[in-house]
Amino acid sequence: FSIDWRTQKLSFNTRMQTYSWGSTVEPLAAVNLCQFGGNLHHYAVKCSKMTVFELGGETKTFSHLSRDIVVVIDTGLTGCVFSDSWKEISFFNPMLISGVNLHLGNDSVTLQSDTKHFSPVCFELPWFNDNNHPHIVAAGATFFQNRRLTIDLRFEQVYIE
């Protein structure tokens, strides 16, 4: 399926368009979260780096952490939800965050939050069997303004234009 925020269209197709042959859109491998808890069928991709902009003007970058960073694509969400595992990092405070850039794949795609619709919260997600799970950033529509999201379920790939 594909959601295009530019044209406000949702489309379903059993034969997804291919993005090869000269396209600059790099496919992102979907992350299967089922290993962390039963029945976890969210659309997710790995995040190589997260840049956080704080209300006071400070910028912090998070990468190479003890846990992977995984972005769950949540088209029913407007803002942003951080899993409570982020609280393990002493200098991470969601109440001070004014915006976030999520660097996906090999930094081939950067999702930037829209300040008008960015409202971060941090809480325990009831999805996991135990505490051995990645840091989760649930990215809502604030990250997809003027973007097209295509999820190819057959090949477990995500495309963001």
Side-chain angles (χ1 to χ4, degrees):
F1 69 91
S2 183
I3 301 173
D4 194 330
W5 277 264
R6 301 167 297 190
T7 61
Q8 298 183 1
K9 289 187 180 181
L10 168 66
S11 53
F12 297 93
N13 192 339
T14 56
R15 303 179 102 210
M16 293 305 298
Q17 78 181 64
T18 58
Y19 285 93
S20 57
W21 302 345
S23 173
T24 59
V25 179
E26 178 183 321
L28 302 168
V31 173
N32 183 346
L33 294 173
C34 289
Q35 63 183 316
F36 303 108
N39 207 21
L40 280 175
H41 301 287
H42 300 288
Y43 306 115
V45 294
K46 279 197 175 181
C47 179
S48 58
K49 177 173 61 175
M50 180 174 77
T51 305
V52 170
F53 305 98
E54 292 189 343
L55 294 170
E58 190 173 345
T59 300
K60 295 178 180 170
T61 300
F62 298 92
S63 63
H64 307 292
L65 302 172
S66 60
R67 300 174 187 246
D68 286 339
I69 303 171
V70 172
V71 174
V72 171
I73 298 166
D74 189 341
T75 58
L77 176 69
T78 302
C80 181
V81 176
F82 296 97
S83 61
D84 66 334
S85 62
W86 285 98
K87 293 178 183 176
E88 297 169 359
I89 302 170
S90 61
F91 52 90
F92 180 84
N93 186 346
M95 301 306 292
L96 298 177
I97 299 174
S98 62
V100 171
N101 285 356
L102 302 169
H103 305 270
L104 309 178
N106 296 322
D107 287 342
S108 59
V109 175
T110 300
L111 294 178
Q112 182 176 5
S113 62
D114 180 336
T115 55
K116 288 190 303 193
H117 305 289
F118 185 74
S119 54
V121 293
C122 182
F123 55 82
E124 182 180 355
L125 300 171
W127 305 343
F128 306 111
N129 293 334
D130 55 34
N131 198 32
N132 185 27
H133 59 80
H135 290 301
I136 299 293
V137 180
T142 186
F143 291 95
F144 295 98
Q145 301 298 308
N146 298 310
R147 295 283 197 154
R148 179 179 175 186
L149 167 69
T150 301
I151 298 179
D152 187 333
L153 299 173
R154 189 168 150 207
F155 294 105
E156 299 179 355
Q157 294 180 323
V158 175
Y159 298 88
I160 300 172
E161 300 176 64

